[in-house]
Amino acid sequence: MATAEHDRERRQVFGDDAEQYDTARPDYPGRLIDDVLDFAALTAGVPAVEVGAGTGKATLAFAARGTPVTCVEPDARMARVLRRRCTGMPHVAVEVADFETWRPERPYGLLYCAQAWHWVDPAVRWARARTALRPGGAVALFWNHWHLEDPGLAERLTALHARQGMEVPPYTILDPRPRPARRGPQARQWHEMEADGGFTDVAHRLYETTHERTPSGLIELLASFSGYRVLPPAARERLFRDVSRIVEQEGGGAGVRVTSSLFLARSRA
Protein backbone atom coordinates (compact mmCIF):
# COMPACT_ATOMS: atom_id res chain seq x y z
CA MET A 1 0.00 0.00 0.00
CA ALA A 2 2.91 2.35 0.67
CA THR A 3 3.96 1.96 -2.93
CA ALA A 4 0.46 2.81 -4.14
CA GLU A 5 0.43 5.94 -1.98
CA HIS A 6 3.89 6.89 -3.24
CA ASP A 7 2.71 6.49 -6.85
CA ARG A 8 -0.35 8.63 -6.13
CA GLU A 9 1.88 11.39 -4.79
CA ARG A 10 4.25 11.13 -7.75
CA ARG A 11 1.48 11.34 -10.35
CA GLN A 12 0.22 14.56 -8.73
CA VAL A 13 3.53 16.45 -9.03
CA PHE A 14 2.94 17.22 -12.71
CA GLY A 15 0.26 19.73 -11.77
CA ASP A 16 2.72 21.74 -9.67
CA ASP A 17 3.59 23.57 -12.88
CA ALA A 18 1.09 22.40 -15.47
CA GLU A 19 2.02 25.13 -17.96
CA GLN A 20 5.68 24.08 -17.84
CA TYR A 21 4.74 20.46 -18.44
CA ASP A 22 2.58 21.42 -21.40
CA THR A 23 5.39 23.45 -22.96
CA ALA A 24 8.15 20.89 -22.35
CA ARG A 25 6.58 17.65 -23.54
CA PRO A 26 6.62 16.88 -27.27
CA ASP A 27 3.50 15.98 -29.22
CA TYR A 28 2.80 12.43 -30.39
CA PRO A 29 3.47 11.42 -34.01
CA GLY A 30 0.58 12.11 -36.34
CA ARG A 31 0.96 8.63 -37.83
CA LEU A 32 0.41 7.10 -34.38
CA ILE A 33 -2.83 9.03 -33.92
CA ASP A 34 -4.00 8.01 -37.40
CA ASP A 35 -3.19 4.36 -36.70
CA VAL A 36 -5.21 4.43 -33.46
CA LEU A 37 -8.23 5.85 -35.25
CA ASP A 38 -7.88 3.38 -38.12
CA PHE A 39 -7.76 0.53 -35.62
CA ALA A 40 -10.74 1.84 -33.64
CA ALA A 41 -12.80 2.47 -36.80
CA LEU A 42 -15.20 4.74 -34.94
CA THR A 43 -18.44 5.49 -36.74
CA ALA A 44 -19.67 9.08 -36.83
CA GLY A 45 -20.43 10.45 -33.39
CA VAL A 46 -19.06 7.48 -31.42
CA PRO A 47 -16.98 8.97 -28.60
CA ALA A 48 -13.57 8.17 -27.15
CA VAL A 49 -12.50 8.44 -23.54
CA GLU A 50 -9.01 9.57 -22.59
CA VAL A 51 -7.52 8.40 -19.29
CA GLY A 52 -5.15 10.83 -17.58
CA ALA A 53 -5.52 13.51 -20.24
CA GLY A 54 -3.13 15.91 -18.52
CA THR A 55 -2.86 19.21 -20.38
CA GLY A 56 -4.07 17.75 -23.66
CA LYS A 57 -0.90 16.68 -25.48
CA ALA A 58 -2.86 13.83 -27.06
CA THR A 59 -6.35 15.29 -26.69
CA LEU A 60 -5.87 18.01 -29.27
CA ALA A 61 -4.61 15.56 -31.87
CA PHE A 62 -7.74 13.40 -31.60
CA ALA A 63 -10.08 16.38 -31.31
CA ALA A 64 -8.55 17.98 -34.41
CA ARG A 65 -9.59 14.88 -36.35
CA GLY A 66 -13.20 15.33 -35.23
CA THR A 67 -13.26 12.64 -32.54
CA PRO A 68 -15.63 13.38 -29.62
CA VAL A 69 -13.53 12.92 -26.47
CA THR A 70 -14.34 12.69 -22.78
CA CYS A 71 -11.16 13.52 -20.85
CA VAL A 72 -10.75 12.02 -17.37
CA GLU A 73 -8.00 13.87 -15.49
CA PRO A 74 -7.42 13.54 -11.72
CA ASP A 75 -5.48 16.80 -11.24
CA ALA A 76 -7.60 19.96 -11.34
CA ARG A 77 -4.53 22.07 -12.15
CA MET A 78 -3.77 20.04 -15.26
CA ALA A 79 -7.46 20.07 -16.18
CA ARG A 80 -7.53 23.87 -16.12
CA VAL A 81 -4.82 24.00 -18.78
CA LEU A 82 -6.61 21.27 -20.74
CA ARG A 83 -9.89 23.20 -20.75
CA ARG A 84 -8.15 26.36 -21.94
CA ARG A 85 -6.42 24.50 -24.76
CA CYS A 86 -9.72 22.97 -25.85
CA THR A 87 -11.61 26.25 -25.94
CA GLY A 88 -13.87 26.28 -28.99
CA MET A 89 -14.02 22.48 -29.15
CA PRO A 90 -17.53 21.56 -27.97
CA HIS A 91 -16.87 17.89 -28.76
CA VAL A 92 -14.28 17.74 -25.92
CA ALA A 93 -15.55 17.29 -22.34
CA VAL A 94 -13.26 17.40 -19.29
CA GLU A 95 -14.07 15.59 -16.05
CA VAL A 96 -11.85 15.94 -12.99
CA ALA A 97 -11.80 12.45 -11.49
CA ASP A 98 -9.65 9.42 -10.79
CA PHE A 99 -10.21 6.80 -13.47
CA GLU A 100 -10.33 4.16 -10.74
CA THR A 101 -13.59 5.64 -9.36
CA TRP A 102 -14.99 7.46 -12.41
CA ARG A 103 -18.32 6.11 -13.67
CA PRO A 104 -18.94 6.35 -17.43
CA GLU A 105 -22.45 7.44 -18.40
CA ARG A 106 -22.26 5.76 -21.82
CA PRO A 107 -20.17 3.10 -23.58
CA TYR A 108 -17.17 4.32 -25.57
CA GLY A 109 -15.78 3.04 -28.84
CA LEU A 110 -12.18 3.89 -27.93
CA LEU A 111 -10.28 4.21 -24.68
CA TYR A 112 -6.82 5.72 -25.03
CA CYS A 113 -4.17 6.79 -22.57
CA ALA A 114 -1.02 8.73 -23.36
CA GLN A 115 1.92 8.49 -20.97
CA ALA A 116 -0.28 7.81 -17.94
CA TRP A 117 -1.50 4.19 -17.78
CA HIS A 118 1.23 3.20 -15.32
CA TRP A 119 -0.23 5.69 -12.82
CA VAL A 120 -3.61 3.90 -12.81
CA ASP A 121 -4.04 1.28 -10.06
CA PRO A 122 -3.08 -2.06 -11.69
CA ALA A 123 -5.54 -3.91 -9.48
CA VAL A 124 -8.53 -2.33 -11.24
CA ARG A 125 -7.38 -0.61 -14.44
CA TRP A 126 -8.24 -3.40 -16.89
CA ALA A 127 -11.65 -4.02 -15.36
CA ARG A 128 -12.32 -0.28 -15.44
CA ALA A 129 -11.32 -0.18 -19.11
CA ARG A 130 -13.74 -3.00 -19.94
CA THR A 131 -16.51 -1.18 -18.07
CA ALA A 132 -15.95 1.99 -20.11
CA LEU A 133 -15.88 0.26 -23.53
CA ARG A 134 -18.67 -1.09 -25.65
CA PRO A 135 -18.18 -4.67 -26.96
CA GLY A 136 -15.45 -4.60 -29.59
CA GLY A 137 -14.27 -1.17 -28.45
CA ALA A 138 -10.59 -0.36 -28.92
CA VAL A 139 -7.87 0.26 -26.35
CA ALA A 140 -4.81 2.34 -27.24
CA LEU A 141 -2.00 2.86 -24.73
CA PHE A 142 1.04 4.84 -25.78
CA TRP A 143 4.18 6.41 -24.39
CA ASN A 144 7.10 8.49 -25.55
CA HIS A 145 10.57 7.22 -24.58
CA TRP A 146 13.44 9.70 -24.86
CA HIS A 147 17.12 9.15 -25.66
CA LEU A 148 19.99 11.56 -26.19
CA GLU A 149 21.45 11.02 -29.65
CA ASP A 150 25.00 11.93 -28.56
CA PRO A 151 26.37 9.14 -26.31
CA GLY A 152 29.25 11.38 -25.20
CA LEU A 153 26.84 14.01 -23.91
CA ALA A 154 24.79 11.32 -22.19
CA GLU A 155 27.94 10.05 -20.43
CA ARG A 156 28.90 13.54 -19.24
CA LEU A 157 25.42 14.24 -17.88
CA THR A 158 25.24 10.84 -16.19
CA ALA A 159 28.63 11.47 -14.56
CA LEU A 160 27.33 14.85 -13.39
CA HIS A 161 24.52 13.14 -11.49
CA ALA A 162 27.06 10.86 -9.79
CA ARG A 163 29.29 13.79 -8.80
CA GLN A 164 26.32 15.48 -7.19
CA GLY A 165 25.41 12.33 -5.28
CA MET A 166 22.21 11.40 -7.06
CA GLU A 167 21.04 8.56 -9.24
CA VAL A 168 19.54 9.13 -12.67
CA PRO A 169 15.76 8.95 -12.14
CA PRO A 170 14.18 5.96 -13.91
CA TYR A 171 12.21 6.40 -17.13
CA THR A 172 13.97 9.65 -17.94
CA ILE A 173 16.12 10.76 -20.83
CA LEU A 174 19.33 9.48 -19.23
CA ASP A 175 17.99 6.18 -17.93
CA PRO A 176 20.49 3.65 -19.34
CA ARG A 177 17.99 0.83 -19.66
CA PRO A 178 16.79 0.20 -23.22
CA ARG A 179 13.25 1.43 -23.78
CA PRO A 180 10.80 0.04 -24.59
CA ALA A 181 12.53 -2.60 -22.46
CA ARG A 182 10.29 -5.36 -23.79
CA ARG A 183 8.44 -5.38 -27.07
CA GLY A 184 5.39 -7.09 -28.46
CA PRO A 185 4.36 -10.27 -26.63
CA GLN A 186 7.23 -9.79 -24.16
CA ALA A 187 5.85 -6.48 -22.87
CA ARG A 188 4.04 -6.14 -19.56
CA GLN A 189 1.06 -4.42 -21.18
CA TRP A 190 0.63 -7.28 -23.63
CA HIS A 191 0.83 -9.88 -20.84
CA GLU A 192 -1.66 -7.99 -18.69
CA MET A 193 -4.24 -7.68 -21.46
CA GLU A 194 -3.95 -11.37 -22.29
CA ALA A 195 -4.09 -12.35 -18.61
CA ASP A 196 -7.20 -10.23 -18.08
CA GLY A 197 -9.02 -12.29 -20.70
CA GLY A 198 -11.28 -9.44 -21.75
CA PHE A 199 -9.23 -8.29 -24.74
CA THR A 200 -8.27 -9.61 -28.13
CA ASP A 201 -6.36 -8.52 -31.27
CA VAL A 202 -3.43 -7.27 -29.19
CA ALA A 203 -0.78 -5.45 -31.23
CA HIS A 204 2.33 -3.33 -30.63
CA ARG A 205 3.80 -0.64 -32.90
CA LEU A 206 6.80 1.70 -32.65
CA TYR A 207 7.40 5.15 -34.15
CA GLU A 208 10.67 7.11 -34.29
CA THR A 209 11.00 10.90 -34.36
CA THR A 210 13.86 13.32 -33.57
CA HIS A 211 13.91 16.72 -31.90
CA GLU A 212 16.60 19.33 -31.29
CA ARG A 213 16.71 20.93 -27.85
CA THR A 214 18.48 24.07 -26.69
CA PRO A 215 20.05 23.95 -23.20
CA SER A 216 16.96 25.59 -21.73
CA GLY A 217 14.71 23.28 -23.77
CA LEU A 218 16.52 20.22 -22.42
CA ILE A 219 16.14 21.54 -18.86
CA GLU A 220 12.42 22.04 -19.50
CA LEU A 221 12.14 18.42 -20.62
CA LEU A 222 14.03 17.10 -17.59
CA ALA A 223 11.89 19.24 -15.29
CA SER A 224 8.74 17.60 -16.70
CA PHE A 225 9.72 14.16 -15.29
CA SER A 226 8.41 13.25 -11.85
CA GLY A 227 11.81 11.88 -10.81
CA TYR A 228 13.30 15.37 -11.11
CA ARG A 229 10.25 17.20 -9.79
CA VAL A 230 10.47 15.43 -6.44
CA LEU A 231 14.13 16.42 -5.87
CA PRO A 232 14.82 19.10 -3.24
CA PRO A 233 14.62 22.46 -5.05
CA ALA A 234 18.21 23.49 -4.27
CA ALA A 235 19.64 20.19 -5.52
CA ARG A 236 17.47 20.29 -8.64
CA GLU A 237 18.50 23.87 -9.47
CA ARG A 238 22.19 23.07 -8.99
CA LEU A 239 21.91 20.02 -11.22
CA PHE A 240 20.03 21.86 -13.95
CA ARG A 241 22.51 24.74 -13.91
CA ASP A 242 25.37 22.33 -14.51
CA VAL A 243 23.42 20.41 -17.16
CA SER A 244 22.92 23.66 -19.05
CA ARG A 245 26.64 24.48 -18.79
CA ILE A 246 27.66 21.07 -20.16
CA VAL A 247 25.22 21.28 -23.08
CA GLU A 248 26.62 24.72 -23.95
CA GLN A 249 30.13 23.29 -23.89
CA GLU A 250 29.03 20.47 -26.22
CA GLY A 251 27.85 22.83 -28.92
CA GLY A 252 24.77 24.48 -27.46
CA GLY A 253 22.21 21.87 -28.47
CA ALA A 254 21.08 18.33 -27.75
CA GLY A 255 19.50 15.94 -30.23
CA VAL A 256 16.69 13.91 -28.68
CA ARG A 257 15.43 10.73 -30.30
CA VAL A 258 11.88 9.81 -29.33
CA THR A 259 10.52 6.27 -29.60
CA SER A 260 6.73 6.25 -29.32
CA SER A 261 5.38 2.88 -28.23
CA LEU A 262 1.74 2.01 -28.98
CA PHE A 263 -0.24 -0.97 -27.65
CA LEU A 264 -3.60 -1.75 -29.24
CA ALA A 265 -6.36 -4.21 -28.36
CA ARG A 266 -10.13 -4.70 -28.54
CA SER A 267 -12.57 -5.57 -25.82
CA ARG A 268 -14.19 -8.92 -26.44
CA ALA A 269 -17.72 -8.80 -27.84
Side-chain angles (χ1 to χ4, degrees), residues 17-27 55 57 78 81 84-85 213 216-217 220-221 224 229:
D17 193 345
E19 295 283 359
Q20 186 275 335
Y21 177 93
D22 185 61
T23 300
R25 290 294 179 101
D27 294 330
T55 61
K57 301 303 290 188
M78 302 286 273
V81 177
R84 175 177 56 77
R85 297 192 74 203
R213 293 273 175 158
S216 62
E220 288 285 319
L221 180 58
S224 74
R229 285 177 177 269

Side-chain angles (χ1 to χ4, degrees), residues 51-132:
V51 179
T55 61
K57 301 303 290 188
T59 313
L60 292 180
F62 284 94
R65 289 159 171 80
T67 306
V69 182
T70 298
C71 302
V72 181
E73 169 51 46
D75 192 317
R77 299 164 298 177
M78 302 286 273
R80 279 195 293 270
V81 177
L82 173 61
R83 287 193 177 104
R84 175 177 56 77
R85 297 192 74 203
C86 294
T87 299
M89 296 181 175
H91 56 300
V92 176
V94 180
E95 299 188 23
V96 178
D98 290 319
F99 181 64
E100 293 90 338
T101 56
W102 174 72
R103 292 294 182 265
E105 296 182 353
R106 54 183 172 176
Y108 292 86
L110 166 65
L111 179 148
Y112 70 91
C113 182
Q115 211 74 34
W117 193 246
H118 56 292
W119 296 120
V120 182
D121 185 353
V124 300
R125 58 191 175 198
W126 299 107
R128 300 295 302 132
R130 285 187 276 104
T131 297

Side-chain angles (χ1 to χ4, degrees):
M1 183 61 66
T3 299
E5 289 300 319
H6 176 68
D7 285 348
R8 182 172 295 274
E9 292 174 5
R10 288 282 291 269
R11 78 177 184 179
Q12 294 291 336
V13 301
F14 301 106
D16 291 345
D17 193 345
E19 295 283 359
Q20 186 275 335
Y21 177 93
D22 185 61
T23 300
R25 290 294 179 101
D27 294 330
Y28 298 96
R31 188 160 58 89
L32 182 154
I33 305 298
D34 291 338
D35 285 352
V36 171
L37 291 174
D38 286 346
F39 183 85
L42 300 176
T43 55
V46 174
V49 59
E50 180 176 4
V51 179
T55 61
K57 301 303 290 188
T59 313
L60 292 180
F62 284 94
R65 289 159 171 80
T67 306
V69 182
T70 298
C71 302
V72 181
E73 169 51 46
D75 192 317
R77 299 164 298 177
M78 302 286 273
R80 279 195 293 270
V81 177
L82 173 61
R83 287 193 177 104
R84 175 177 56 77
R85 297 192 74 203
C86 294
T87 299
M89 296 181 175
H91 56 300
V92 176
V94 180
E95 299 188 23
V96 178
D98 290 319
F99 181 64
E100 293 90 338
T101 56
W102 174 72
R103 292 294 182 265
E105 296 182 353
R106 54 183 172 176
Y108 292 86
L110 166 65
L111 179 148
Y112 70 91
C113 182
Q115 211 74 34
W117 193 246
H118 56 292
W119 296 120
V120 182
D121 185 353
V124 300
R125 58 191 175 198
W126 299 107
R128 300 295 302 132
R130 285 187 276 104
T131 297
L133 286 168
R134 66 181 185 178
V139 174
L141 312 176
F142 48 98
W143 293 263
N144 281 335
H145 306 273
W146 301 266
H147 317 258
L148 281 179
E149 290 194 301
D150 183 349
L153 177 59
E155 289 178 6
R156 288 194 65 184
L157 295 181
T158 299
L160 170 65
H161 283 69
R163 288 198 303 274
Q164 296 194 4
M166 63 181 67
E167 296 182 358
V168 171
Y171 308 111
T172 61
I173 196 168
L174 294 172
D175 188 343
R177 294 175 299 172
R179 298 183 305 273
R182 297 188 184 278
R183 305 185 179 194
Q186 303 304 313
R188 183 184 72 250
Q189 293 80 11
W190 188 298
H191 282 304
E192 288 183 357
M193 282 189 277
E194 287 193 332
D196 178 84
F199 301 93
T200 186
D201 299 338
V202 184
H204 183 211
R205 304 176 187 178
L206 296 173
Y207 309 79
E208 297 284 345
T209 54
T210 57
H211 307 264
E212 187 67 23
R213 293 273 175 158
T214 63
S216 62
L218 186 63
I219 297 302
E220 288 285 319
L221 180 58
L222 293 177
S224 74
F225 292 111
S226 63
Y228 287 103
R229 285 177 177 269
V230 298
L231 291 174
R236 183 174 60 243
E237 291 172 10
R238 182 173 65 252
L239 175 70
F240 286 172
R241 183 177 60 249
D242 289 346
V243 166
S244 181
R245 174 180 53 80
I246 289 173
V247 175
E248 288 284 6
Q249 292 172 352
E250 293 288 335
V256 178
R257 186 175 75 259
V258 181
T259 300
S260 301
S261 182
L262 167 65
F263 288 89
L264 296 165
R266 301 186 198 282
S267 61
R268 292 189 183 275

